[in-house]
Amino acid sequence: MSFRFKTIIGIAVIEAVTLSLLIWTSLTFLKNSNEKALMERASTTAVMFATMTTDAVLSFDLASLESFIAELLKNPGVVYGRIVSSSDGLLAEGGDRRILAKPFAADTDFRSVRDSVYDVESKIRVEGVDYGAVQLGLSVTALQELFGSARNRITLLALAEMVLTAFFSLILGLWLTRQLGSLAEGSRQISAGNLGYQIPIRGRDELAQTADTFNRMSLDLEQSYRQLNDALTEARRTGAELALSEAKMRAVLDGAVDGIITIDEKGVMESFNPAAERIFGYSSAEIIGQNVRLIVPEPHKKRHDRYIQNYLQSGIPRVIGIGRETEGERRNGETFPIELGVSEINVNEKRLFIGIVRDITERKQTEEELRQHRENLEQLVDERTRELKDTQQQLVEQAFESGRAQLAAMMLHNIGNAVTPFTAQVDALAASLPEHVVTYLEKSYADLNDHRDGLGIYVRENPRGQQVFAYLGELIDSLKDFQANLHRNVAKMQTSLDYVGDILSLQQAYAPGEKEIRQMTDLNHLIDSALQMQAGALEKRNIAVTRDLEPNLHELVIDRNRMVQVLVNLIKNAYEAIAAGPQAGDGGQISVTSHSDSDRIIIEITDSGIGIDPGRAEEVLERGKSGKGSTGLGLYYCRMFMQNNNGKLVLESPGIGQGMTVKLIFNRQ
């Protein structure tokens, strides 16, 4: 056997072995790397899908789960997807029905794949608790076809190369050896993880094509690895962002002082934060998925679903956006006051309602305590007020009794003052009787009677007879003077008697044994009665009276007789003031009005009389004082009557000669 042949055989054997090793190594690496990439992709996809569906699984949001399945199936190579709950079983699935019909068994590696689908599973786990799992299958057909194509192609290339080697071993032995060395080096670099390693290409033969294919395969592996690594990095970043966002949201919800509850359009609760758990006594695990009616007391419990439907149909908010106070129901059935605010949001074209609940039990208790304290304080104030009124009434009664004694002493003194001049006037009247006139009349009568037969001659010729008529003239003048003096003395005695009468009337009105007879009284009727009693005196003095009485005037509980006496007295004072004023003898005007407001009833008597100095209004109301020279007891009596009947008497006058108004002001009873 020649060296060439041996060389050719050796080279062929070496090349065959090397090529076989290269092909096997490349295919093994290609297979392993692609299988690993696919397994990592499947695992990453499952983990991301589990993370993405966690909230929807926890809230039992089937619509969102279905949409997630649909989005998953859009990814190349995904054959099916399935979401399973630990408690409720299958939640959602989609994809190849033939594969879905088979029992799920997760594949640990490609050797366990029997149906050209790599099955993988990822648990849905929150805080160490498994709530379910996502199951998905990735097709390995493309990868197997790639492996088959690569294997067939490389095998063909190897056979072709071996044939060519046999023909061109002598010419191309050295070159083939170097080319195979490059391939070997490239295989070692790839095996070492230097993906994308490129070997030099010499010529255009099969080995060059193999080298080119190797280079392209190396680049493809590098690109696939880079894409997978980028996808994994993006998935990790997205997962981290989602985890951060979820952590922030969870921190906000968990740290909120108020209860935050989310419900869907059917009233089913989808979230229930820790504050809500504390307020209502339910854990989120046991209440999520329940209807919100569970925490609503009667009568709204049965109507709550209808409230939501009415809003969804009409679009008219009655609670949304409006904070209000209502009631909630705890787990133990206790009803308690809450402050509720409801808002609406849209998530993935789904309407959700967020309720923010605040327990205001303590605030209501505080308000109730304040209300009770206020009532107790008001009651205490009322009691103290009554005590003060009772004390005031006692003081008034004591002062009134004291005033009676003082009044009696004053009356006795005034009666004495009145009787003394009365006695003097009687004595003066008795002393003023013209006794000499009577004597002269008797003598004149006797003379005339003695000469009655010649009376004419007697008065013409007899000197004594001539003096009779002169005496008669003097007697007539004396009788006129006596008559005038008599009128003056009688008037003075009448004034004294009137004064005594006023004193006795006042004493009788406030005597200890005298009791008032109080009853509901129409004041307008009493005004008419008083005017009727004084009608004669008013007409005699030619005084015009005008009335302006408020219809349906509020009635008072009062002594009718004494009230009439007061009105008569004031009307009398009015026309006496007119008689003493600038219009004396020319008539005058008296106006009587009645009116009321929310607190008072007022009677006004206005005259056009003499009036008073405004500074003396209070002085005139004191006993013994008068603005027109009278006793002054009338106004004093009227004032005492008003004070004794929860009212007051007020005098108003612009000045001397400008009239006066007397106001009787009663407080409503």
Side-chain angles (χ1 to χ4, degrees), residues 224 354 408 465 512 585 600 643:
S224 298
I354 299 176
R600 304 176 303 169
Q643 292 176 346

Side-chain angles (χ1 to χ4, degrees), residues 75-149:
N75 292 313
V78 178
V79 178
Y80 73 92
R82 180 186 290 119
I83 303 173
V84 181
S85 172
S86 299
S87 58
D88 298 318
L90 179 62
L91 299 178
E93 65 178 6
D96 192 334
R97 294 297 176 185
R98 180 178 58 83
I99 302 301
L100 291 172
K102 297 179 182 181
F104 177 81
D107 294 321
T108 57
D109 52 34
F110 274 74
R111 290 190 298 273
S112 61
V113 176
R114 295 291 183 269
D115 53 359
S116 299
V117 177
Y118 181 80
D119 301 302
V120 65
E121 181 182 64
S122 179
K123 298 293 186 180
I124 298 176
R125 182 172 297 165
V126 178
E127 296 181 356
V129 178
D130 289 339
Y131 290 93
V134 296
Q135 301 168 356
L136 55 91
L138 274 69
S139 174
V140 299
T141 302
L143 186 59
Q144 290 174 343
E145 291 177 353
L146 177 63
F147 290 160
S149 176

Side-chain angles (χ1 to χ4, degrees), residues 314-601:
S314 66
I316 300 175
R318 300 186 181 275
V319 178
I320 296 175
I322 303 173
R324 67 189 184 103
E325 292 185 2
T326 181
E327 290 183 337
E329 183 175 299
R330 303 190 201 273
R331 182 172 185 170
N332 59 7
E334 176 190 356
T335 300
F336 65 102
I338 62 174
E339 194 173 73
L340 173 65
V342 181
S343 59
E344 179 183 2
I345 62 173
N346 285 280
V347 179
N348 295 328
E349 298 182 355
K350 179 181 179 182
R351 301 171 82 172
L352 296 176
F353 301 97
I354 299 176
I356 299 178
V357 180
R358 177 173 296 175
D359 187 349
I360 57 174
T361 302
E362 294 184 0
R363 190 180 79 188
K364 288 297 184 181
Q365 291 174 349
T366 303
E367 291 176 356
E368 178 63 21
E369 291 175 359
L370 290 175
R371 186 188 64 80
Q372 292 179 357
H373 287 318
R374 184 173 62 253
E375 290 181 355
N376 293 337
L377 181 60
E378 292 176 353
Q379 182 179 0
L380 182 61
V381 171
D382 291 341
E383 291 176 356
R384 294 296 180 269
T385 302
R386 285 195 297 271
E387 292 176 0
L388 289 173
K389 287 184 177 180
D390 293 342
T391 303
Q392 182 183 18
Q393 183 63 30
Q394 293 175 3
L395 293 175
V396 170
E397 291 177 357
Q398 293 175 2
F400 192 60
E401 293 297 331
S402 176
R404 284 175 173 169
Q406 184 179 3
L407 180 63
M410 182 270 291
M411 288 179 177
L412 291 176
H413 175 73
N414 289 338
I415 290 174
N417 291 338
V419 170
T420 298
F422 181 79
T423 304
Q425 290 159 2
V426 171
D427 293 340
L429 182 62
S432 65
L433 289 175
E435 295 180 358
H436 66 283
V437 173
V438 176
T439 302
Y440 287 155
L441 285 174
E442 289 176 349
K443 290 181 179 181
S444 297
Y445 173 76
D447 288 342
L448 293 174
N449 187 48
D450 291 339
H451 299 88
R452 62 179 177 274
D453 294 335
L455 185 59
I457 298 172
Y458 179 70
V459 296
R460 287 196 303 271
E461 298 177 359
N462 191 324
R464 187 178 180 85
Q466 293 176 353
Q467 292 179 355
V468 169
F469 288 102
Y471 287 143
L472 288 176
E474 292 177 0
L475 290 175
I476 291 172
D477 292 336
S478 296
L479 287 175
K480 288 181 178 179
D481 293 338
F482 174 74
Q483 183 181 20
N485 188 38
L486 178 64
H487 284 305
R488 285 193 298 272
N489 288 328
V490 169
K492 292 179 180 179
M493 288 187 290
Q494 183 63 43
T495 300
S496 298
L497 291 176
D498 290 342
Y499 183 56
V500 172
D502 289 341
I503 294 172
L504 294 177
S505 296
L506 185 62
Q507 175 65 22
Q508 182 180 10
Y510 291 94
E514 188 72 18
K515 293 184 178 180
E516 293 185 348
I517 302 175
R518 298 190 177 190
Q519 53 190 321
M520 290 297 295
T521 302
D522 183 351
L523 296 180
N524 286 342
H525 177 71
L526 296 187
I527 293 173
D528 290 336
S529 299
L531 288 173
Q532 187 175 2
M533 292 178 185
Q534 293 287 356
L538 294 170
E539 183 177 358
K540 178 180 179 181
R541 290 168 174 77
N542 194 27
I543 294 175
V545 178
T546 58
R547 297 165 58 258
D548 184 11
L549 308 182
E550 179 180 307
N552 301 318
L553 190 66
H554 182 75
E555 294 186 351
L556 291 178
V557 177
I558 202 168
D559 189 314
R560 294 181 179 178
N561 294 330
R562 292 187 178 181
M563 184 63 199
V564 170
Q565 185 176 357
V566 168
L567 293 172
V568 168
N569 192 2
L570 294 179
I571 295 171
K572 177 183 177 184
N573 284 349
Y575 66 66
E576 287 180 350
I578 292 174
Q583 295 182 351
D586 297 331
Q589 293 182 347
I590 295 177
S591 171
V592 183
T593 63
S594 67
H595 56 91
S596 64
D597 53 30
S598 59
D599 300 320
R600 304 176 303 169
I601 300 173

Side-chain angles (χ1 to χ4, degrees), residues 4-67:
R4 183 182 294 274
F5 184 74
K6 290 180 180 179
T7 302
I8 295 172
I9 295 298
I11 293 174
V13 171
I14 294 172
E15 185 176 332
V17 173
T18 304
L19 185 58
S20 298
L21 179 62
L22 178 61
I23 292 173
W24 177 81
T25 303
S26 299
L27 291 176
T28 300
F29 177 77
L30 180 62
K31 179 180 178 181
N32 291 338
S33 60
N34 278 276
E35 288 177 352
K36 182 179 179 181
L38 182 62
M39 292 171 62
E40 290 180 352
R41 176 191 171 198
S43 177
T44 302
T45 303
V47 171
M48 291 177 61
F49 190 59
T51 302
M52 182 172 61
T53 58
T54 297
D55 291 340
V57 171
L58 293 178
S59 62
F60 206 72
D61 188 355
L62 297 181
S64 295
L65 294 178
E66 292 291 346
S67 66

Side-chain angles (χ1 to χ4, degrees), residues 95-232:
D96 192 334
R97 294 297 176 185
R98 180 178 58 83
I99 302 301
L100 291 172
K102 297 179 182 181
F104 177 81
D107 294 321
T108 57
D109 52 34
F110 274 74
R111 290 190 298 273
S112 61
V113 176
R114 295 291 183 269
D115 53 359
S116 299
V117 177
Y118 181 80
D119 301 302
V120 65
E121 181 182 64
S122 179
K123 298 293 186 180
I124 298 176
R125 182 172 297 165
V126 178
E127 296 181 356
V129 178
D130 289 339
Y131 290 93
V134 296
Q135 301 168 356
L136 55 91
L138 274 69
S139 174
V140 299
T141 302
L143 186 59
Q144 290 174 343
E145 291 177 353
L146 177 63
F147 290 160
S149 176
R151 183 171 56 250
N152 294 335
R153 190 169 183 180
I154 292 174
T155 301
L156 291 175
L157 290 174
L159 292 175
E161 183 179 0
M162 291 180 68
V163 171
L164 291 174
T165 300
F167 289 96
F168 300 104
S169 60
L170 293 175
I171 301 172
L172 302 175
L174 183 59
W175 186 86
L176 292 174
T177 303
R178 289 183 299 179
Q179 190 71 52
L180 290 175
S182 298
L183 288 173
E185 178 63 23
S187 298
R188 285 193 299 270
Q189 291 292 334
I190 291 175
S191 298
N194 189 10
L195 301 179
Y197 181 79
Q198 299 292 294
I199 62 175
I201 300 175
R202 298 179 178 91
R204 297 183 180 181
D205 56 13
E206 289 80 356
L207 288 178
Q209 294 177 3
T210 302
D212 182 61
T213 302
F214 179 85
N215 286 340
R216 284 190 280 109
M217 181 185 67
S218 178
L219 291 175
D220 290 342
L221 285 174
E222 181 185 26
Q223 185 177 4
S224 298
Y225 181 79
R226 186 182 299 111
Q227 291 176 350
L228 183 59
N229 190 51
D230 291 343
L232 182 59

